[in-house]
Structures are given as structure tokens and as C-alpha cells.
Amino acid sequence: MGIKFLLPAICVCTWITSWLLTESSDGLARITLKKQPLDLKRLNAARITQEGLDSNVNDQEAGVIYLKNYLDIQYYGEIGIGSPSQRFSVVFDTASSNLWVPSSKCLFSIPCHLHSRFRASSSSTYTKIGIPCTISYGAGAISGFFGLDHVKVGDIVVEDQEFIEITKEPFLPFLIAKYDGILGLGFQDISVERANPLCRDFTSEFGGEIVFGGLDWRHFRGDHTYVPVAKTGYWEAWEVNLNLSFKSYAMLNVRVCKFGCAAILDSGTPLIAGPTAIVDEINRAIGAEGIVSLECKSVVSKYGYALWDNLISGIRPEILCVDVGLCSYNGSQRARRKLKTVVENGTMKGSALGETPMCTFCEMIVFWIQVQLKQQKTKDIVFQHINQLCETLPNPIGKSFVNCDYLELLPDITFTIGNKSFPLTPHHYIIKVEEGCSTVCVSSFICLDVPPPRGPLWVLGDRFLSAYHTVFDFGNMRVGLAKSAN
């Protein structure tokens, strides 16, 4: 991502996967983002939701906004606020419009004490505005008040920039975050209290050509495809559809919106969110399943035939799972209680597959086999039915997992934006997470249902933006996409 300014006061933000804001020989300033690795716990806890608009957001026609909890943030960079400059690590977020950092007046929120805090008394250029505000996120709300000071991004200094000094933060995600705050690069329409976004202030303060990131031919291949911004507020492209293809033939061609969908391009999440019916179809086509279903099928695959053979040979059902080493003791009532706990909590205790859920699934599978045997079903039909039962188990954490060994066999998923195709390979839309000594592969597709007239709506996060060099053009109110050179 970066921002480029051309006469007459055009602001262009371009997303690339790494940037460091320095002046270079070609006249461009670059920012290199630091990368925070994702772990499975934070990725599972990450959420994108939608709710009614807050009254202090000036976009009443929108009807809804979508919220995220920033637990899955990976990329952040450094800015300075005040004179002399006080350094802060921030997320450059194209789906929000306010700049905020913790304040030295944040005394009773533990996360504030673990991050850099702005000290107004140490800045000679600070002006207190004092207007209180609250911003809602998926994990809770932050609150504070507005101030005014110089903001430095690399060698660029914006004078008298409005920002929020945070005095209260929720415990998560900011307790574990490596960044201090958020720098919103969206439009003023969704800015709390209509505060001027930083990029808007750039265009009003400077003339000529100023670069913050910028268009660097080394970061993309070919020409950009530009589409108009559908509605100010978020960076939205219009007429978005998608299809899946296996090699040379089409697997799924979905046109979910009669007159086209909108898509928010969001640098503040690695996820890709869309309508439930379509996301479920995508995850089904790529073999992605909820963690509970995946673990259930794992037990079926590894132990199902052995359990069948032992039942047929006359071994007592209540000791089967003990014999195969999945349970330390038996008890069908315990199995049902623990399956209920796994489904409701959406967690797997212990190892990657966890002994307790493995035992629970084993006992449930034995029970299912017994029921099918009484109906005199054949072996193949029984296990087909059991796998179908596994698929019906709830997915409480909302994330879907795939087998990492089969990534090369997965289809490309192609978004069509402005009559141009933008394919994503499995290496783009699958998130690999190191978990202990193993690697877990997670589908980046999650469900987000936004009702009309604002929806249906897609959110294209870092998994999309890392594949395509993205230009956010304030001056011409458009978004440009080109193939990334990376």
C-alpha cells in the first residue's frame, strides 16, 4: 500500500505486501510493513460481522456497517505524531477512516500499558479538541477524545491532523497486538465525527507531486484495470461475481447478484467474506470443513474400518475405543456430553486432534455403526452415511479447514470485477498456520450476510490484495487492480 499525489491533488493508495517509507532515487517514498505471524487461536477468534450504523458515523444511507475484531491482523507499519515525533506502530486499514493511538491518559485498560502511548504534554504542536468518541469493533469498543497534532509518515508531515487519543481499550485483541493503533485510509463518510482522514489532509496541505508509497512498476505486471468507487465510505468496487474452475473446465459459476455485488477492498483483514450461500458452496467445492466435522472425519478415516471389523467379530461396543487407544475409559453418556462441549465451545483441547474429542467421536461413530448394522446396511453405505453425519456437525468458530496435502489439487477461484477476471490460486486463498510441529490450512472464505440495499457484499482482504497490486485513487474516485509482481 502507498499513497501518491499528483496535480490536481490526486491521492492514490497502492497495496503491496511490504513497504518502508523512505525517499528513493526514483522519487518514490516506500513503506515496508512488518509482519505479525498468525496462530490458529487468533485466526479462529477473528470475526467479521455487520450491524446497524452508529449515529456518529456520517453514512446514514448505508444502513449497515461491518465490524471486525483485528485479531487476525498481520501487517503494520510505523508513523510519528507530535513535535518532537512520538513513534507508533499502526495498521494501515482501507476499511476505516480514523487515526487513533493510545493516550497517556489511558490508565485503567491493561492493553494501553503494553503499547506506546501519546503524551500530549511532550508535543509543542499539540492542540486538544476534547470531543469524546467511541468506535465499535467486533471484540468491543474503544473510547477516547479528539486531538490535533502533526502526523509524520516517513518524510511527509501533515500539520494539524485530527486523531483520537484512546483512553479505554477492550482486553482483546489489543492486549496481544504488536501494533499500537489504527490509521484509517477510507473515506470521510465513515469517519467517526466526520474527522478528516489522513489521506484527505495530505491532498489539502500539499501541491505538486508527493508520494507515500506510490505506483512503482516493479510491484506489478501489465496495466491496471480501473473501476469506479460504488459508494464513498468504504473502498467499494461494483459488479463483482466469481467462478471456480478445475484446470480446463468450470466447476462452479456463480452470479449471486442480479445487478452486481459490491466488494470492499480491505487491508485490515486477511480474510475474504461473502454471502453465506456462496461461501458455503465455495468451501464445499474446495473440501473445506469446520473443525468439528474435520476431526470427526479424521476418526472415521483412520479407525472406522477397524471399529467395523471389531463390531462384526463380536467385541463389546463399549470397549472398542479403549482398544484402539482413543479412550482411557468408556461411557456413552460421557461421549455425548463431551461432543456437546466440543460443538458449543468450538475448541479442541490437547494436541492438534485432541484426545478428548477423538474419544468422543470414536464412541459416536461406534454408535452410528451399530444403528446402521441393525438396518442391515452394507459397509460402503454405512461409512458414506457416517461421513455425511460428520458433515452436519455445527461449525461454531466459523472457520473451515482443508487438508494441506491436497492444495495443488484445489481449483482457482476467479473474481470478476469490471468485466476483468482476477483469479486466486489455492496458495492465495488458503492460509497456512504453524501449529506446534504441524501446519494447519484454513480457508480464507468466511460468511458475511449484508441485506439489501447495501448488500450482498464481499470483503476482499489481504489474501486478495497480496495477489493484485491495488490502487486506491481518491482524486478520480476509482480502484485499480493489476497482477502483483511478487
Side-chain angles (χ1 to χ4, degrees):
M1 179 190 299
I3 300 175
K4 183 176 182 179
F5 300 90
L6 305 172
L7 285 174
I10 298 175
C11 174
V12 179
C13 309
T14 62
W15 175 257
I16 53 180
T17 55
S18 61
W19 31 292
L20 171 64
L21 202 61
T22 55
E23 197 68 33
S24 62
S25 58
D26 58 7
L28 297 181
R30 295 178 175 81
I31 282 187
T32 296
L33 293 175
K34 300 175 183 178
K35 186 175 182 180
Q36 173 178 260
L38 274 178
D39 58 55
L40 191 58
K41 184 176 181 179
R42 287 197 298 124
L43 184 60
N44 283 342
R47 294 287 184 271
I48 295 180
T49 58
Q50 62 88 21
E51 66 173 29
L53 271 174
D54 293 336
S55 59
N56 59 350
V57 177
N58 189 54
D59 190 13
Q60 300 304 318
E61 292 182 4
V64 295
I65 55 175
Y66 85 95
L67 305 176
K68 52 194 176 185
N69 61 15
Y70 289 97
L71 275 165
D72 51 3
I73 283 295
Q74 287 188 276
Y75 300 99
Y76 58 96
E78 191 173 272
I79 65 170
I81 302 177
S83 303
S85 185
Q86 302 174 39
R87 293 185 176 184
F88 298 92
S89 293
V90 296
V91 175
F92 293 83
D93 184 10
T94 57
S96 66
S97 299
N98 291 95
L99 167 60
W100 65 259
V101 295
S103 168
S104 61
K105 295 180 175 63
C106 183
L107 302 176
F108 302 107
S109 293
I110 294 176
C112 288
H113 295 276
L114 301 178
H115 293 92
S116 298
R117 292 184 291 169
F118 179 73
R119 299 185 180 277
S121 60
S122 299
S123 175
S124 61
T125 51
Y126 172 78
T127 300
K128 182 177 180 179
I129 298 176
I131 297 175
C133 66
T134 298
I135 302 179
S136 296
Y137 293 118
I142 61 170
S143 58
F145 59 91
F146 279 94
L148 205 69
D149 211 331
H150 295 358
V151 175
K152 184 177 183 181
V153 186
D155 294 327
I156 301 171
V157 177
V158 177
E159 297 182 358
D160 299 328
Q161 170 64 40
E162 296 168 312
F163 70 104
I164 302 171
E165 300 176 61
I166 296 303
T167 56
K168 182 179 179 181
E169 288 184 303
F171 195 72
L172 288 175
F174 304 114
L175 180 70
I176 59 176
K178 292 188 177 181
Y179 56 89
D180 304 310
I182 307 293
L183 195 166
L185 294 173
F187 291 91
Q188 191 174 16
D189 303 59
I190 59 170
S191 176
V192 172
E193 301 296 343
R194 279 196 67 81
N196 284 336
L198 188 71
C199 196
R200 178 187 175 104
D201 283 344
F202 275 152
T203 61
S204 63
E205 289 290 330
F206 295 97
E209 183 180 78
I210 302 175
V211 177
F212 164 29
L215 291 176
D216 187 333
W217 62 268
R218 289 171 292 186
H219 294 143
F220 60 91
R221 297 288 180 265
D223 296 327
H224 286 83
T225 297
Y226 286 94
V227 293
V229 173
K231 180 178 177 61
T232 57
Y234 301 109
W235 286 97
E236 291 185 33
W238 193 247
E239 296 183 357
V240 176
N241 279 289
L242 62 102
N243 64 71
L244 281 73
S245 60
F246 285 97
K247 305 302 181 183
S248 60
Y249 66 92
M251 171 68 180
L252 174 68
N253 191 353
V254 184
R255 300 194 70 85
V256 297
C257 315
K258 184 176 181 180
F259 301 105
C261 285
I264 294 173
L265 286 85
D266 181 3
S267 62
T269 178
L271 303 174
I272 299 175
T276 295
I278 306 305
V279 168
D280 285 348
E281 190 71 25
I282 292 172
N283 282 330
R284 191 176 300 113
I286 65 176
E289 299 175 293
I291 188 65
V292 178
S293 296
L294 194 68
E295 302 295 13
C296 179
K297 283 190 173 182
S298 175
V299 175
V300 175
S301 174
K302 292 180 181 179
Y303 304 99
Y305 284 178
L307 295 173
W308 169 279
D309 292 339
N310 288 339
L311 272 174
I312 296 295
S313 67
I315 296 178
R316 288 185 298 136
E318 60 267 23
I319 67 170
L320 284 180
C321 295
V322 178
D323 285 351
V324 297
L326 295 182
C327 296
S328 56
Y329 62 93
N330 64 306
S332 59
Q333 291 300 317
R334 178 185 63 81
R336 287 177 176 81
R337 286 197 303 270
K338 290 197 173 180
L339 180 61
K340 183 174 184 291
T341 300
V342 170
V343 170
E344 288 179 348
N345 295 342
T347 58
M348 294 287 166
K349 303 297 184 182
S351 64
L353 291 179
E355 292 183 1
T356 297
M358 288 280 276
C359 175
T360 301
F361 291 133
C362 179
E363 292 180 334
M364 294 303 298
I365 290 166
V366 169
F367 174 75
W368 290 336
I369 292 176
Q370 287 180 278
V371 172
Q372 295 295 300
L373 282 174
K374 289 179 180 179
Q375 299 175 9
Q376 298 182 334
K377 299 291 182 64
T378 65
K379 188 175 185 178
D380 289 341
I381 292 177
V382 168
F383 281 100
Q384 181 180 354
H385 178 68
I386 290 174
N387 277 313
Q388 289 173 347
L389 290 174
C390 288
E391 292 174 0
T392 63
L393 294 174
N395 183 16
I397 62 176
K399 303 298 186 302
S400 298
F401 298 76
V402 299
N403 191 324
C404 295
D405 295 334
Y406 300 147
L407 293 190
E408 298 300 329
L409 302 178
L410 297 184
D412 290 350
I413 297 178
T414 301
F415 283 88
T416 302
I417 302 175
N419 295 320
K420 177 79 173 180
S421 295
F422 296 94
L424 297 179
T425 69
H427 296 285
H428 289 131
Y429 64 77
I430 298 297
I431 304 172
K432 287 187 175 182
V433 181
E434 299 298 326
E435 188 69 11
C437 298
S438 62
T439 300
V440 179
C441 291
V442 186
S443 168
S444 62
F445 288 93
I446 65 169
C447 300
L448 176 68
D449 291 310
V450 178
R454 191 63 184 264
L457 183 69
W458 287 90
V459 176
L460 306 181
D462 292 347
R463 306 311 295 181
F464 181 87
L465 297 178
S466 63
Y468 293 99
H469 185 272
T470 308
V471 179
F472 301 88
D473 189 340
F474 273 93
N476 292 310
M477 293 295 293
R478 62 181 185 170
V479 175
L481 297 167
K483 185 175 178 60
S484 173
N486 295 331

